[in-house]
Amino acid sequence: MGTWAVEPKITQAVRTPITTFLKRSSLPFHRIHPNRSPRFYNSSHKNQHVLLPIKSFVSVHRSGHLSFHSSAHLSFAFHQFDILSQREQSSENRGFFDALVLVKFAAMKPDIVTATIVHPLVLKVGVLAHLPTSTSLLMIYARAGDFDGSVALFREIIYKDVVLWNAMITACIENRFFGAAIDFFVEMMKGGSGFDSGTLVIAISGLTHTKELKQGRVLHGLSVKAGMLSDSVLCNALVFMYAQCSDLSSSESIFEEMHFRDLVSWNSVMTGCLHNNNPEKCLHYLKRMNLCGKQADGVSLSCAIAASTSLGELVIGQVIHGWGIKFGYEKSFHISVANSLISLYSQCGQIEAAEAVFRGIFQKDVISWNSMIDGFASNGMILEAFDLLREMQLKGSVQPDTVTVVAIIPLCAEFTLLREGRCVHGFTVRRSTGLLDLSVVNSLMNLYMKCNNLKAAEQLFNAMAYMDLVSWNTMISGYSLNGHSREAQFLFKELLLLSSYCSLSTLLAILPSCHSHSSLQFGKSIHCWQLKLTFSSNNLAINSLIHMYVNCGDLKSSVLLFTAISATADISCWNTIIAGCLRNGHFWKALENFNLMRRESHVSHDSITIFNVISASGNLGLVLEGKLLHGLSFKTLEGMDIRVQNALIAMYGRFGDIESAKLVFNFFSNRNLCSWNCMISALSQNKDGKTALECFSTLSFEPNEITISSVLSACTQLGLMRHGKQIHAYVFRFGFERNSFISAALVDMYSNCGSLDTATEIFQNLPEKSVAAWNSMISAFGFHSNSQKAIQVFHEMIESGTSPSKSTFISLLSTCSHLGLVDEGQWYYNHMLDEFGVEPETEHHVCIVDMLGRSGRLNEAYEFIERMGTKPEPGVWGALLSACNYHGDLEMGREVAETLFSLEPENAGYYVSMFNMYVSAGRWSDAAELRRVIQEKGLKKPVGYSLIDVGIG
């Protein structure tokens, strides 16, 4: 055998249908017959050329296909071709034909090595001037990924026909150089080479990718001017181009003007309707297509099923499913129809039907597996989704791709399945599936952020060679939602430094980082950005801004912003402003906004609205309004929402109507953990600790922090350390010992049960002391008459950098009141606002009046009430009445009592206090008259009782 000068690296046989080879060539050629094949010459013999039949190294099939037996045989063919080029003139025609055969072989599986071998051989034999050959060679370079080689070859050719220009423009599009494709088209027009409908189809295809509507219209005009709109292929390209550029009306106009519509025409307009979010029209065109006698194919049915999925029309989808069975898609290769059916049934909640379609597919592709996995995921069937993923891997015929990974990672993120998410991450690294794909990396960052693993998300983000806007948005949103506001805002500023462009999603991602008064200014700057980017008419953007102002405590700005768009505000905006009023303690304002919303004809309340206004009524103690809202919720079916049910339980608990709360709780069978928490909390708040413990003992869910806090409060009321210790064991069992609220509740419980040492030990062992824990410790020392220690803990709290709250001063002033530290108490009260930033409220006023009253300084207490800037609440006057009763000041007592009788005429405690003063002063006639009033009003003072730990629980 001879030695080859160049051996191409081709690992598989090259096959080509010879019968269809270069039909446009004007040169004569014959069909290769299995028994009459071309011949090549072997130069291994020194003195003669031995003619070898091509059948010795090429298999010729009856279909007219050739197969080289090995890469060496292909190399041999190239070598023989080199010899042929040196033969005498009489063999030129056959050499020319053999060159065409080699070019055709190379075109069947193009790669850069083959192109670089074929090109010089073709040039050597002089075939390059043959335009069909040079066109084929140009496409070999293009499809081998060597676009520069295609351009260089194109520039070498002097005389270019339309087909060559078309090939060059096609090469641009296949290599995604869409701008270059248009440039070549313009050059073609200027060169005067002319064009055909194929040229326009190719150019329009490029504009479809770039969505250049203006240039597309120019080509449309050129088509009209050239009179080529009779070509259905060109019309189909225009229909598709306009639809992809979001100009559905123009797309439909061209479709309607077509004299001949083939199946591609109908599919193009149906696909365009889907692309433009108009599924109704898609189904309309399917109906018209059927009436015209055109039988739908797999694409038509897939489009119609996708339209049914978008509309949530299960029945229509089932009808189309029937059509598919009638047309025999199950026995054909229309797997896209089955995949669309899987999505339809999954989206409509018919997961069994979706699985039946999936199992019925004989040869599933990766889309089939992805659709079924996504179906399980969207229906909350986590285990089934992971089982199917494992089955997909075990089958081996189809392996997970990027879409599979992107479908499964959000499922892990939604349910915070960090371990499973890490497994998927490892799979992508091991299989290199989407390792460099942005969508996979972005999904992984979102997973780690939602699982509070910021370090892993940061490592992925910092390792990215290229970050798109979604990458930045994912990180910014993750920081915001995890409470890392500073990092979110820093990253947002860094994004603006790199590129001034940001999307609505970017602004929605950064706004949650503005959640306190300190970040209000930054939030206002984001508001300016939204105005600059013309998002001011977007309800979602405005809703997020309203929420931001509410979180920052600027209710005035949120109301102003809402008022500006109230005429077009949707239910989300109304819910946000109502919830904002509720969160800032403006309960009346929340109810007023609800009444305003009900007057609007274009918006109707939902379960979130009802939830908020029920909570507002509960906080205001509006029993009648609360019951009316209860009736409204059942009338409009919002009452079936579990959130509304829980709000009703909490509302009746605030009203002190435990029986109604129990009725709501027992009426519904779909209770969740929040329902149990609301019931236990309502019982605990109404001093029914025994029933609260009994309710906890029948809890059918694993308790959370709120459950434990409520039960500890019940134990504190009952003074049951034995039960409190059991709950303490629950805390360790479920890992709640680091929760600040539970730690504070444990300190309260042990303190009230008489174990101050245990309470102190728990407090001192806390790794991070919250405001609630400090408050509980101050209250505990005060409760045990250790005023100096209480004051000392308060100063330690200040030194630790923890800002005191309203409750802190209630505990501190109460301690000073009970232990007679009047001067200290007054000092703390007077410096609450200017030194500690806490506005005195009713509870603080009560503590000061009680403190002055206990020390016998009744006149000072009365003057203090008179000097208050706001109207005193009944509790303030009640504290003074108790002091008058204690010190026997009948005259002041009568004056205070008259005020209280007008404020709270049904409060029996005030009448009893006044009665006791009359009895102590010997005013028996006044006492008898007051008793008569009490009896006429039917007032009864709550009966006092004592508890011992016997037989409870």
Side-chain angles (χ1 to χ4, degrees):
M1 209 99 182
T3 304
W4 316 125
V6 180
E7 180 166 337
K9 298 179 181 178
I10 299 175
T11 57
Q12 296 181 1
V14 183
R15 296 179 173 89
T16 180
I18 298 300
T19 55
T20 59
F21 171 66
L22 291 179
K23 288 184 177 180
R24 68 175 186 172
S25 174
S26 58
L27 296 178
F29 65 93
H30 67 277
R31 182 181 184 276
I32 295 180
H33 190 274
N35 297 322
R36 192 176 70 251
S37 60
R39 297 174 179 271
F40 290 108
Y41 290 83
N42 190 347
S43 61
S44 58
H45 299 270
K46 294 182 180 179
N47 300 321
Q48 61 177 335
H49 294 295
V50 179
L51 187 65
L52 294 179
I54 196 170
K55 285 194 294 183
S56 63
F57 53 88
V58 177
S59 297
V60 186
H61 304 287
R62 293 188 180 277
S63 60
H65 287 71
L66 299 183
S67 299
F68 283 99
H69 296 162
S70 68
S71 59
H73 290 143
L74 180 58
S75 300
F76 175 69
F78 284 129
H79 184 68
Q80 297 296 351
F81 175 80
D82 182 55
I83 296 174
L84 281 171
S85 64
Q86 302 174 26
R87 286 177 54 80
E88 53 278 316
Q89 188 68 26
S90 60
S91 301
E92 283 183 359
N93 287 342
R94 185 169 55 190
F96 189 93
F97 172 73
D98 290 336
L100 301 184
V101 173
L102 288 176
V103 171
K104 187 63 178 179
F105 284 151
M108 294 306 297
K109 192 168 183 180
D111 61 65
I112 192 63
V113 175
T114 307
T116 54
I117 294 174
V118 172
H119 190 173
L121 293 177
V122 168
L123 187 64
K124 187 174 183 180
V125 81
V127 184
L128 194 61
H130 183 235
L131 285 177
T133 304
S134 55
T135 302
S136 299
L137 187 57
L138 185 148
M139 293 308 299
I140 292 172
Y141 274 116
R143 287 168 182 165
D146 187 3
F147 177 70
D148 292 337
S150 297
V151 175
L153 176 61
F154 180 78
R155 296 301 181 194
E156 288 178 11
I157 301 170
I158 300 173
Y159 301 105
K160 305 176 179 71
D161 63 357
V162 173
V163 178
L164 185 64
W165 281 101
N166 291 352
M168 189 64 244
I169 299 171
T170 302
C172 296
I173 293 172
E174 288 186 359
N175 286 272
R176 306 192 67 79
F177 291 102
F178 304 115
I182 301 303
D183 292 340
F184 274 109
F185 177 75
V186 172
E187 183 183 344
M188 176 183 181
M189 296 293 294
K190 289 180 178 178
S193 300
F195 62 91
D196 59 9
S197 60
T199 315
L200 295 176
V201 170
I202 298 166
I204 290 169
S205 170
L207 295 178
T208 302
H209 284 92
T210 58
K211 294 181 171 52
E212 293 286 348
L213 181 59
K214 186 176 180 180
Q215 293 180 352
R217 284 175 174 157
V218 171
L219 291 184
H220 184 185
L222 196 60
S223 305
V224 174
K225 184 177 180 180
M228 294 180 177
L229 285 184
S230 58
D231 189 328
S232 61
V233 176
L234 177 58
C235 289
N236 292 341
L238 286 169
V239 169
F240 190 70
M241 182 272 294
Y242 277 118
Q244 293 298 306
C245 293
S246 302
D247 188 357
L248 185 60
S249 59
S250 297
S251 177
E252 291 180 288
S253 296
I254 295 174
F255 176 81
E256 297 297 341
E257 292 171 3
M258 291 177 67
H259 298 293
F260 172 74
R261 303 185 189 104
D262 57 11
L263 197 56
V264 177
S265 311
W266 290 98
N267 290 344
S268 296
V269 74
M270 289 172 65
T271 305
C273 292
L274 274 182
H275 179 77
N276 288 274
N277 298 318
N278 202 329
E280 296 91 346
K281 279 191 176 181
C282 179
L283 295 175
H284 168 72
Y285 281 112
L286 177 71
K287 185 177 179 180
R288 281 183 57 188
M289 177 183 176
N290 187 50
L291 292 174
C292 291
K294 289 284 185 182
Q295 180 173 314
D297 65 353
V299 177
S300 316
L301 292 177
S302 297
C303 287
I305 294 168
S308 303
T309 305
S310 299
L311 295 169
E313 291 287 353
L314 177 61
V315 176
I316 296 176
Q318 289 173 327
V319 170
I320 298 169
H321 188 177
W323 278 6
I325 295 172
K326 180 182 176 181
F327 296 152
Y329 86 87
E330 290 182 323
K331 298 178 181 180
S332 69
F333 296 103
H334 295 158
I335 195 170
S336 63
V337 178
N339 295 341
S340 299
L341 284 170
I342 294 171
S343 298
L344 166 74
Y345 288 124
S346 299
Q347 292 295 321
C348 294
Q350 301 291 321
I351 197 67
E352 295 84 3
E355 189 170 9
V357 173
F358 174 75
R359 297 299 177 189
I361 301 174
F362 177 72
Q363 190 170 0
K364 304 174 183 69
D365 62 6
V366 69
I367 299 175
S368 311
W369 290 95
N370 291 346
S371 299
M372 196 65 244
I373 291 171
D374 185 64
F376 282 135
S378 60
N379 283 273
M381 302 172 72
I382 312 170
L383 295 177
E384 289 81 356
F386 277 102
D387 288 343
L388 194 64
L389 177 62
R390 177 166 177 76
E391 182 184 342
M392 180 183 184
Q393 292 177 270
L394 292 175
K395 289 282 185 182
S397 57
V398 177
Q399 285 299 313
D401 64 355
T402 299
V403 178
T404 320
V405 173
V406 172
I408 208 72
I409 291 175
L411 184 65
C412 300
E414 182 181 355
F415 294 94
T416 60
L417 304 174
L418 181 59
R419 185 172 64 87
E420 290 79 0
R422 281 175 170 166
C423 291
V424 177
H425 188 179
F427 172 81
T428 63
V429 174
R430 188 173 67 254
R431 296 289 183 91
S432 297
T433 303
L435 183 61
L436 301 177
D437 191 280
L438 273 174
S439 60
V440 174
V441 181
N442 292 339
S443 297
L444 285 169
M445 289 192 299
N446 181 55
L447 161 74
Y448 287 124
M449 280 296 189
K450 286 189 175 178
C451 293
N452 202 24
N453 191 344
L454 273 66
K455 185 176 180 181
E458 288 168 350
Q459 288 175 343
L460 280 171
F461 183 74
N462 294 329
M464 294 174 71
Y466 169 74
M467 305 161 191
D468 63 358
L469 195 56
V470 177
S471 312
W472 290 91
N473 293 349
T474 301
M475 288 300 294
I476 292 169
S477 177
Y479 280 132
S480 297
L481 297 178
N482 281 283
H484 294 262
S485 301
R486 175 184 286 183
E487 289 82 354
Q489 293 171 10
F490 176 80
L491 203 61
F492 177 74
K493 293 174 183 176
E494 187 178 345
L495 171 62
L496 294 183
L497 286 174
L498 294 174
S499 169
S500 59
Y501 173 74
C502 62
S503 65
L504 176 61
S505 299
T506 315
L507 300 180
L508 296 179
I510 190 61
L511 278 173
S513 70
C514 308
H515 52 72
S516 63
H517 186 73
S518 60
S519 55
L520 177 60
Q521 196 59 39
F522 186 84
K524 287 182 177 179
S525 66
I526 301 299
H527 189 176
C528 294
W529 264 99
Q530 280 194 311
L531 293 173
K532 181 180 178 181
L533 297 173
T534 66
F535 294 137
S536 55
S537 59
N538 186 290
N539 273 348
L540 181 59
I542 295 171
N543 191 30
S544 300
L545 282 171
I546 294 171
H547 191 254
M548 181 272 294
Y549 281 119
V550 167
N551 288 340
C552 294
D554 190 355
L555 189 62
K556 182 180 178 181
S557 295
S558 65
V559 171
L560 286 172
L561 187 58
F562 175 78
T563 305
I565 55 103
S566 58
T568 59
D570 58 10
I571 187 60
S572 298
C573 294
W574 282 101
N575 286 343
T576 302
I577 197 65
I578 291 171
C581 295
L582 183 70
R583 180 170 181 173
N584 285 272
H586 298 277
F587 306 120
W588 279 111
K589 191 69 177 175
L591 294 176
E592 288 172 7
N593 282 317
F594 174 66
N595 289 329
L596 288 173
M597 186 196 76
R598 297 203 69 196
R599 295 174 190 168
E600 299 289 339
S601 58
H602 69 279
V603 66
S604 178
H605 63 265
D606 60 7
S607 58
I608 299 174
T609 322
I610 296 295
F611 168 82
N612 285 319
V613 292
I614 286 174
S615 299
S617 299
N619 281 286
L620 291 170
L622 302 175
V623 179
L624 177 60
E625 287 78 359
K627 289 182 177 180
L628 290 173
L629 289 168
H630 189 173
L632 178 65
S633 68
F634 277 89
K635 180 181 177 181
T636 54
L637 298 180
E638 271 89 10
M640 304 306 294
D641 191 294
I642 190 66
R643 292 170 295 185
V644 174
Q645 298 167 20
N646 296 340
L648 286 169
I649 296 170
M651 179 190 74
Y652 284 119
R654 290 192 178 99
F655 292 163
D657 189 355
I658 291 299
E659 292 305 316
S660 295
K662 288 180 180 178
L663 284 173
V664 175
F665 179 77
N666 294 324
F667 183 76
F668 297 101
S669 58
N670 60 331
R671 295 185 289 265
N672 58 12
L673 180 58
C674 183
S675 310
W676 287 88
N677 289 345
C678 289
M679 193 67 244
I680 294 170
S681 179
L683 293 166
S684 179
Q685 288 171 7
N686 287 275
K687 311 301 180 184
D688 193 355
K690 179 178 181 296
T691 310
L693 287 174
E694 291 172 352
C695 188
F696 175 72
S697 66
T698 59
L699 178 65
S700 54
F701 294 90
E702 184 177 294
N704 63 4
E705 294 94 328
I706 299 173
T707 321
I708 299 297
S709 297
S710 300
V711 176
L712 282 172
S713 176
C715 295
T716 302
Q717 294 169 18
L718 298 172
L720 299 176
M721 188 184 293
R722 177 167 60 88
H723 291 277
K725 286 182 175 180
Q726 292 175 1
I727 303 302
H728 196 173
Y730 264 108
V731 170
F732 282 103
R733 178 181 175 184
F734 294 106
F736 299 146
E737 62 273 8
R738 291 183 178 273
N739 184 279
S740 58
F741 294 102
I742 290 179
S743 302
L746 284 169
V747 172
D748 278 337
M749 186 272 295
Y750 281 112
S751 170
N752 282 279
C753 291
S755 182
L756 181 61
D757 293 339
T758 306
T760 305
E761 184 180 356
I762 292 172
F763 176 77
Q764 290 176 344
N765 289 331
L766 291 176
E768 292 184 7
K769 298 176 176 65
S770 64
V771 177
W774 286 104
N775 293 348
S776 296
M777 203 64 242
I778 294 168
S779 179
F781 283 121
F783 182 76
H784 286 268
S785 303
N786 194 337
S787 59
Q788 296 301 323
K789 195 66 177 175
I791 293 173
Q792 180 185 337
V793 171
F794 173 75
H795 287 288
E796 288 176 1
M797 174 185 182
I798 301 301
E799 290 171 2
S800 69
T802 306
S803 300
S805 65
K806 176 184 74 173
S807 299
T808 310
F809 282 99
I810 292 173
S811 299
L812 188 62
L813 293 175
S814 178
T815 299
C816 293
S817 174
H818 283 86
L819 299 178
L821 303 175
V822 179
D823 295 335
E824 290 85 345
Q826 286 185 314
W827 187 90
Y828 288 123
Y829 177 83
N830 293 331
H831 291 81
M832 278 177 61
L833 183 59
D834 55 359
E835 286 201 21
F836 304 106
V838 179
E839 183 79 33
E841 296 183 7
T842 299
E843 293 87 347
H844 308 109
H845 302 149
V846 170
C847 288
I848 291 297
V849 172
D850 183 64
M851 181 174 60
L852 293 170
R854 284 174 182 269
S855 62
R857 296 154 70 168
L858 299 179
N859 290 326
E860 287 185 43
Y862 188 85
E863 290 171 1
F864 173 82
I865 296 174
E866 291 292 323
R867 290 196 308 269
M868 284 175 57
T870 58
K871 183 181 178 181
E873 295 291 330
V876 180
W877 290 110
L880 184 56
L881 180 62
S882 297
C884 292
N885 183 21
Y886 182 78
H887 291 285
D889 192 332
L890 183 59
E891 293 305 317
M892 185 180 288
R894 288 183 66 176
E895 183 181 347
V896 173
E898 290 299 327
T899 304
L900 285 169
F901 293 161
S902 63
L903 292 173
E904 291 185 336
E906 304 300 322
N907 192 319
Y910 303 147
Y911 293 90
V912 172
S913 294
M914 196 65 228
F915 176 82
N916 291 335
M917 277 193 280
Y918 281 134
V919 171
S920 298
R923 305 275 292 268
W924 299 105
S925 58
D926 292 331
E929 178 63 23
L930 192 58
R931 179 182 287 276
R932 185 186 63 79
V933 173
I934 293 173
Q935 290 174 347
E936 286 179 356
K937 287 180 174 288
L939 302 176
K940 290 183 179 180
K941 186 180 179 181
V943 179
Y945 60 91
S946 298
L947 290 174
I948 56 174
D949 185 6
V950 176
I952 297 180

